[in-house]
Amino acid sequence: MTARRWLAHAVACTLLLAPRPLRAQRGWRPEDRTVIGSMLHVYAVAADAQRLYVVTAGQVLIRDELRREWQGPFTGPQLGQVQEVRGGLVDLFDRSLWLVTGTGWLRYDPTLDLWEQGFAGASILGAGLDRNAPLDGLYLRTPSGWMLAQRGGGVLPAPATPRGVDLLRPVTVADAVQANPQLQL
């Protein structure tokens, strides 16, 4: 499934899961049920071939396409921190989730249920993962140039330049809706 299709799926699921009157849930298996908070505000979506991440107010939901099930919700390390997210990317190496904020980043590894965070020391103008160097980490563009945030969090990113020119960049929810007009309300 392409990233564009995943994003369309994310936005469609967001619209379908928005708060509405409860209906009877007879015949649903326990693994088909989950309690999801408000999805009125989706801050980021990120996808690869196997996972779709949806970042909403204070939580992350994961759609595992191999198992055909939703997982979560998973909450960030600090209340409200996920609401500062501007975009998300799926790590090219371990399929974890990188979230970019105005001045830092969060990383969530669902395999270990581990949150990491770090700060750039400057405003972040853009971000990306280098397809030619998937082990590197997250490249952050600041007013003073590129910096590299590595897995582990808590350490200030070091000045670095992406090796490749083809960076995988975050796609916003607005981008997904614009690319898929049928999702517009």
Side-chain angles (χ1 to χ4, degrees), residues 58-132:
Q59 62 189 7
V60 173
L61 297 163
I62 302 171
R63 170 71 181 176
D64 186 328
E65 190 57 27
L66 295 176
R67 294 183 182 148
R68 303 180 86 45
E69 68 183 14
W70 284 95
Q71 300 168 350
F74 305 98
T75 57
Q78 297 173 2
L79 187 62
Q81 198 169 25
V82 176
Q83 294 173 332
E84 299 171 15
V85 170
R86 294 182 178 181
L89 290 161
V90 178
D91 191 287
L92 299 169
F93 176 66
D94 64 4
R95 295 184 15 238
S96 59
L97 174 65
W98 287 96
L99 298 172
V100 181
T101 67
T103 58
W105 73 92
L106 297 166
R107 184 175 164 275
Y108 179 64
D109 183 338
T111 305
L112 302 174
D113 193 24
L114 175 69
W115 284 91
E116 300 171 345
Q117 62 183 345
F119 300 95
S123 61
I124 297 175
L125 305 173
L129 296 169
D130 191 337
R131 294 175 207 252
N132 296 323

Side-chain angles (χ1 to χ4, degrees), residues 6 10 12 15 28 36 52-53 66 79 90 95 103 135 140 149 152 172:
W6 265 111
L15 297 175
W28 286 33
I36 299 173
L52 165 70
Y53 292 92
L66 295 176
L79 187 62
V90 178
R95 295 184 15 238
T103 58
L135 297 175
L140 305 167
T172 66

